[in-house]
Amino acid sequence: MECQVLQVAGQRNKKWPQYLSALIVVVSMFTSGIHYGWPTPSLPRLLSNDHPLNMTSDEASYITTVASIGDIIGSIVFTIQADIIGRKMSMLLTAPLQITSMIMLYFSSHSIILLYIARFLGGLAEGGCLCVIVIYISEISEPRIRGTLLSFFSVAWYGGSLFVNIVGSHYSIETTSLITLVFPVVFLGAFIFMHETPYYLLMKNKSKESLLVLKKLRRNEDVEDEMVALTNDVKRQMSERGKYQDLVLIKSNRKALVMMVVLTAACEFSGVTSLTFYAQLLFVDATDVLSESLAATLMQSLQLLFTVVSMLIIDWTGRKPLLLFSIGGCCASLTLLSAYFLLDRYSSLEVTNQNWIPLAGMLVFQVFFSVGLGNVVNCLNGEVFSTSVKTKGLCVLSVVYAVCVATNVKLYQVLSDSFGSGAPILVFAVAQLLHWFFCWKCVPETRGKTLEEIQQEIKGHKNESRSLQRLHRSRY
């Protein structure tokens, strides 16, 4: 059981080692954010007549599809590795994939196959990052700062996406590849000096090593009480069955899985991926208030800014209120956007004089998405699964995410080509309405609770959860 405020014999846990470990591990997530956001500035170049590949829109849509296939395979491989060779070593193995992907992108103008392979390798690494980073951070952090540290994941992802949009809008694909190559190299050089998680070491019956790592992470020699609680929690959770079928057969695991599958779908069927990938193309015809590249950069800047806001307030407001606020706002802004595009295409009303609406609607959407859905779901990923099935659960979620991304982007392209941009955006708005009711009814609050307390609540043992909280507070 992690401790919120450990104060024994006048000593208090230091937070900075946990912050440092989290900051270094999310450098890999920053690189995955670059991979995720790469199509935004690159698609207009690839689809232009001046580019050597001279791609069609259908060929360009497979840039996302092959990356999603990589996501799926990567999530399976890396979650298996995470329980065998450890969280740390699994994360280190993402760097060579990212480095190779960047180098291949540099040469991708010579072959569309080379471009697809580069995106596939980036997807492999992204699948690993999506699964392993949240496990790593949740297992090194104390409950009082766990939400903030898990938020680094989202901040890094959106930061990488913004970075590649700015750089890619001003430089060629080749130059952008060389610039972004720096980040996986830096990650590889820095993370090799970080610690394995105490949870994983206990899973492998390495109690002495786990105690040593815990002392280093807390910068406190008096962690015996926390170590005893942590050992008991890991033993209890590892005593449960931990195969893939147990995600469905055990009620508490099934409840956590269903909840996170729906929330993952809520994220992607907000349309955020499609609206981000096609942002510059969407703004070409929709607005002349700003250039399409500047509008896309502004949109992603707000995404990053309000993810930081979410990071700062998540351990104060709680997870569930932010989710409800976010989903409701996304639904409203998407409804406004779809109304504009549908009226522009199918009615005789003159809406082109109000061409500031698409830009305003997209910016408002990004604010609402980033403050809740874009961050809170990633935090919950690291909190709601039992240790025995955590890697399996996150593997399934990564597959769900990849399938949702591929489906989402293809759905947007097909509906947009046939009925205009308003049609897929309307589908996204309806999806958010349904997800709001699900969140209100089914998502528990996890703020300030240990991972064991969260497990007891998911199991329906609320009295046990409250007893653990009282014991937790009295002890620390």
Side-chain angles (χ1 to χ4, degrees):
M1 184 188 303
E2 317 96 318
C3 63
Q4 294 184 34
V5 181
L6 184 59
Q7 193 165 1
V8 181
Q11 295 190 38
R12 183 184 178 90
N13 287 344
K14 301 295 191 299
K15 293 185 288 186
W16 69 262
Q18 299 168 64
Y19 276 90
L20 178 63
S21 297
L23 282 171
I24 292 176
V25 75
V26 298
V27 173
S28 184
M29 198 67 239
F30 185 91
T31 308
S32 286
I34 291 172
H35 164 81
Y36 171 80
W38 186 86
T40 303
S42 302
L43 279 176
R45 298 180 187 275
L46 293 170
L47 292 172
S48 70
N49 293 328
D50 298 330
H51 194 273
L53 294 180
N54 195 22
M55 297 180 73
T56 65
S57 61
D58 189 58
E59 289 173 330
S61 70
Y62 288 107
I63 289 174
T64 303
T65 302
V66 295
S68 296
I69 294 172
D71 270 341
I72 294 171
I73 298 175
S75 63
I76 295 171
V77 171
F78 278 92
T79 49
I80 293 173
Q81 285 183 167
D83 278 345
I84 298 174
I85 64 175
R87 285 58 161 137
K88 176 184 174 179
M89 186 57 67
S90 295
M91 282 307 307
L92 287 172
L93 291 177
T94 64
L97 292 172
Q98 292 172 333
I99 291 170
T100 305
S101 176
M102 300 296 185
I103 293 173
M104 294 183 76
L105 284 175
Y106 177 83
F107 294 104
S108 63
S109 61
H110 300 290
S111 168
I112 193 172
I113 300 300
L114 202 60
L115 174 60
Y116 287 156
I117 294 174
R119 293 291 294 166
F120 173 78
L121 293 177
L124 282 176
E126 184 180 56
C129 290
L130 288 171
C131 292
V132 183
I133 288 179
V134 291
I135 298 175
Y136 183 86
I137 295 176
S138 67
E139 291 183 353
I140 66 168
S141 56
E142 303 171 71
R144 60 176 175 156
I145 59 172
R146 190 177 60 235
T148 300
L149 296 187
L150 284 169
S151 298
F152 287 1
F153 176 97
S154 301
V155 172
W157 197 359
Y158 297 133
S161 181
L162 172 62
F163 180 83
V164 75
N165 186 59
I166 294 173
V167 173
S169 296
H170 293 88
Y171 296 99
S172 67
I173 290 176
E174 292 78 12
T175 303
T176 300
S177 300
L178 293 179
I179 293 172
T180 55
L181 183 60
V182 172
F183 297 102
V185 174
V186 169
F187 167 75
L188 187 61
F191 191 67
I192 196 169
F193 297 104
M194 294 297 102
H195 306 294
E196 183 55 84
T197 75
Y199 261 82
Y200 175 77
L201 293 172
L202 285 173
M203 288 169 58
K204 297 301 179 181
N205 297 315
K206 298 180 179 180
S207 300
K208 291 182 179 179
E209 292 180 40
S210 179
L211 178 60
L212 182 62
V213 168
L214 194 61
K215 289 179 179 180
K216 291 180 178 179
L217 287 171
R218 306 296 187 254
R219 282 301 184 271
N220 190 343
E221 290 297 317
D222 298 311
V223 296
E224 282 74 14
D225 285 345
E226 181 180 6
M227 186 65 188
V228 170
L230 191 64
T231 301
N232 291 336
D233 291 348
V234 171
K235 284 182 178 178
R236 190 205 64 76
Q237 293 178 33
M238 290 303 295
S239 67
E240 298 174 343
R241 300 194 307 271
K243 297 181 179 180
Y244 274 100
Q245 59 263 36
D246 296 319
L247 282 169
V248 178
L249 296 177
I250 297 177
K251 183 178 179 181
S252 58
N253 293 340
R254 182 170 65 248
K255 184 176 179 181
L257 181 65
V258 170
M259 178 176 69
M260 295 316 303
V261 165
V262 174
L263 288 179
T264 299
C267 278
E268 284 312 307
F269 282 92
S270 69
V272 64
T273 299
S274 298
L275 296 178
T276 299
F277 285 179
Y278 288 99
Q280 292 198 23
L281 297 176
L282 188 66
F283 286 136
V284 167
D285 298 322
T287 183
D288 56 12
V289 177
L290 296 173
S291 69
E292 58 271 15
S293 61
L294 182 57
T297 300
L298 179 59
M299 184 180 76
Q300 292 188 324
S301 298
L302 280 177
Q303 190 177 51
L304 176 60
L305 174 62
F306 280 89
T307 302
V308 173
V309 170
S310 177
M311 178 188 73
L312 295 175
I313 66 175
I314 190 171
D315 283 324
W316 174 65
T317 61
R319 282 56 157 164
K320 188 169 183 175
L322 279 180
L323 274 179
L324 291 171
F325 175 75
S326 173
I327 296 173
C330 287
C331 180
S333 54
L334 288 169
T335 300
L336 175 66
L337 277 171
S338 65
Y340 175 88
F341 286 114
L342 289 173
L343 287 173
D344 184 42
R345 184 179 178 96
Y346 293 106
S347 79
S348 58
L349 293 175
E350 185 61 45
V351 297
T352 53
N353 293 331
Q354 309 298 324
N355 62 358
W356 55 269
I357 291 179
L359 176 59
M362 288 278 281
L363 295 181
V364 171
F365 165 78
Q366 288 293 354
V367 168
F368 279 112
F369 178 85
S370 302
V371 82
L373 273 174
N375 180 42
V376 177
V377 174
N378 290 326
C379 291
L380 290 173
N381 281 342
E383 294 179 325
V384 301
F385 288 108
S386 170
T387 301
S388 62
V389 294
K390 185 175 290 186
T391 55
K392 279 82 173 177
L394 289 173
C395 175
V396 172
L397 291 180
S398 187
V399 172
V400 170
Y401 161 77
V403 171
C404 286
V405 167
T407 303
N408 180 290
V409 173
K410 197 64 181 177
L411 176 70
Y412 181 91
Q413 183 231 326
V414 171
L415 290 179
S416 182
D417 288 348
S418 301
F419 306 105
S421 300
I425 295 176
L426 180 60
V427 172
F428 299 149
V430 173
Q432 291 308 289
L433 179 62
L434 297 175
H435 286 131
W436 190 93
F437 285 104
F438 175 87
C439 179
W440 173 65
K441 186 71 175 175
C442 302
V443 177
E445 182 54 69
T446 62
R447 179 185 60 158
K449 298 175 183 176
T450 68
L451 299 181
E452 176 64 15
E453 289 163 2
I454 294 169
Q455 283 304 301
Q456 293 301 325
E457 185 164 342
I458 291 175
K459 289 175 181 294
H461 303 160
K462 291 188 177 181
N463 290 334
E464 178 68 17
S465 178
R466 283 192 285 267
S467 297
L468 285 171
Q469 291 179 54
R470 286 195 294 269
L471 177 61
H472 184 75
R473 285 193 292 267
S474 66
R475 179 178 292 167
Y476 303 115

